[in-house]
Amino acid sequence: VTGVQRCALPIFNVVSNPDIPYENMSNYVDCSISRSGQYMITFGKRVLLSNDFGGSFTRIDTTLLSGFDDTKYNFGDMSPDGQYIVICNDSGSVWYSDDYGVSFSTSSISGASALKGIKVTGQNVIVGGLNGKIYESSNYGESWTSMRFHGVKFALLVPFQ
């Protein structure tokens, strides 16, 4: 299988990792893993990043994500090689990295609400919301364009590259 893999493995490693104090596991709702498995990131009310195949995790929401709100659930994804990471929350805040999560820049999606699905394939990013809107970025998450599908319920499906 190619592309970014999804699984719950990093969450179990977080619990057993002495570098991160035990937290309520409801803080994490999703994770993304690079094709090689070297880069892993978990999302939710906290954001943790690993660059050593899950051997250790660093909590980045309090250090690298300016304006992060831990009362909201956050969702994200990374490119298949792990270089590009985009994180968003349901109020339209966006954080994006082009250096494997070493640093993050911020942007926002104007008028966005109820964001729940995201897919990063490199410079192209798609975010879907429960309100029937899909937002697209062609520059790694720096700026966004809205597409509206009236009365259509959709599933966010993007093929692996």
Side-chain angles (χ1 to χ4, degrees):
V1 176
T2 61
V4 175
Q5 306 299 309
R6 296 261 186 209
C7 80
L9 178 62
I11 293 173
F12 297 115
N13 288 347
V14 168
V15 172
S16 63
N17 187 331
D19 298 331
I20 300 173
Y22 176 77
E23 297 186 38
N24 182 338
M25 295 317 296
S26 67
N27 287 332
Y28 306 99
V29 295
D30 197 8
C31 63
S32 187
I33 302 173
S34 66
R35 180 182 299 127
S36 69
Q38 179 177 356
Y39 300 96
M40 302 178 183
I41 191 162
T42 64
F43 307 99
K45 290 186 176 180
R46 308 280 189 270
V47 181
L48 304 174
L49 178 67
S50 173
N51 61 7
D52 61 1
F53 298 91
S56 63
F57 284 82
T58 302
R59 185 171 170 190
I60 63 169
D61 55 90
T62 56
T63 57
L64 294 178
L65 305 181
S66 175
F68 185 85
D69 182 354
D70 69 1
T71 65
K72 299 184 181 327
Y73 280 100
N74 298 271
F75 298 86
D77 195 20
M78 68 173 54
S79 61
D81 64 0
Q83 180 177 357
Y84 302 101
I85 301 169
V86 179
I87 302 166
C88 63
N89 67 22
D90 57 358
S91 64
S93 297
V94 177
W95 299 270
Y96 60 97
S97 173
D98 62 2
D99 57 7
Y100 300 93
V102 173
S103 64
F104 283 81
S105 299
T106 60
S107 69
S108 62
I109 302 174
S110 180
S113 64
L115 298 177
K116 299 297 178 196
I118 185 168
K119 181 63 185 165
V120 177
T121 61
Q123 77 180 51
N124 297 310
V125 183
I126 296 175
V127 176
L130 296 179
N131 60 355
K133 288 190 177 182
I134 296 176
Y135 303 91
E136 177 183 31
S137 173
S138 59
N139 55 9
Y140 308 100
E142 184 176 346
S143 63
W144 298 88
T145 305
S146 172
M147 297 180 283
R148 177 82 173 144
F149 297 90
H150 297 281
V152 176
K153 300 288 184 184
F154 65 90
L156 187 58
L157 299 175
V158 179
F160 291 118
Q161 293 186 347

